[in-house]
Amino acid sequence: MLEIGTVAPDFQLPDQEGNLHTLSSYRGKKVILYFYPKDNTPGCTKQACGYSANLPQFTEKGIVVLGISKDSVASHQKFSEKFSLGFPILSDTERSVIESYDVWKEKKLYGKVSMGVVRTTYLIDENGIVIKANDKVKAAEDADKMLEEAE
């Protein structure tokens, strides 16, 4: 996980519509950048729907919400349409951004060890600096928690 006070690495990734996004294009706004393991899984769906439901409050505070996983653009498009998500979810199939944000880690599930995305949320300030970082994310509570912390 990136440390608070670190310059957030810039990136260029496509969203569910194929439009390219860079972190630097959001300078002047706060950005919630959340990394999640997989589209259409229970936790990831709760997390995405939480951000979608709270999007007006984030927008009112001038905060951009971006989700990132290693799923494809096509997978993101289906996921976004199925749950009417109102924000960009970015596809990092090469894991370059996932790795630069230090969220590709060893995970243990039922005694089995594998590599995967550790659910992590960053709040990045208007100058591209990480001001909050959480790798102990509870999917269903993440959006509400970040809304409180994003004052």
Side-chain angles (χ1 to χ4, degrees):
M1 181 170 73
L2 298 180
E3 296 293 318
I4 291 172
T6 305
V7 174
D10 200 8
F11 56 78
Q12 182 175 8
L13 291 175
D15 67 12
Q16 66 268 36
E17 304 295 328
N19 300 316
L20 292 176
H21 293 258
T22 61
L23 182 61
S24 55
S25 68
Y26 293 107
R27 281 279 155 68
K29 293 185 175 200
K30 287 183 180 168
V31 175
I32 287 177
L33 194 61
Y34 82 91
F35 292 86
Y36 66 98
K38 189 153 183 56
D39 291 344
N40 287 303
T41 55
C44 298
T45 299
K46 285 179 187 158
Q47 187 177 23
C49 289
Y51 276 110
S52 191
N54 284 305
L55 199 57
Q57 291 93 314
F58 285 115
T59 303
E60 192 175 287
K61 293 181 179 205
I63 300 170
V64 173
V65 174
L66 301 172
I68 297 181
S69 84
K70 63 184 187 64
D71 292 310
S72 68
V73 168
S75 174
H76 281 348
Q77 189 170 35
K78 288 177 191 156
F79 183 51
S80 180
E81 286 174 5
K82 183 175 179 181
F83 295 102
S84 302
L85 304 179
F87 60 91
I89 47 177
L90 310 181
S91 175
D92 186 17
T93 56
E94 305 291 314
R95 295 196 324 256
S96 59
V97 178
I98 288 167
E99 290 182 21
S100 71
Y101 278 79
D102 197 26
V103 298
W104 185 253
K105 304 265 189 194
E106 192 175 88
K107 297 167 82 172
K108 291 182 180 131
L109 184 64
Y110 305 116
K112 182 180 167 227
V113 177
S114 63
M115 294 298 288
V117 173
V118 173
R119 192 182 307 279
T120 306
T121 303
Y122 292 103
L123 179 60
I124 300 164
D125 76 6
E126 297 85 349
N127 300 309
I129 308 295
V130 175
I131 56 173
K132 302 258 185 220
N134 181 15
D135 65 352
K136 306 261 188 286
V137 175
K138 289 185 171 74
E141 301 167 11
D142 190 38
D144 290 335
K145 183 176 182 206
M146 291 309 294
L147 196 57
E148 285 174 21
E149 292 186 10
E151 294 302 323

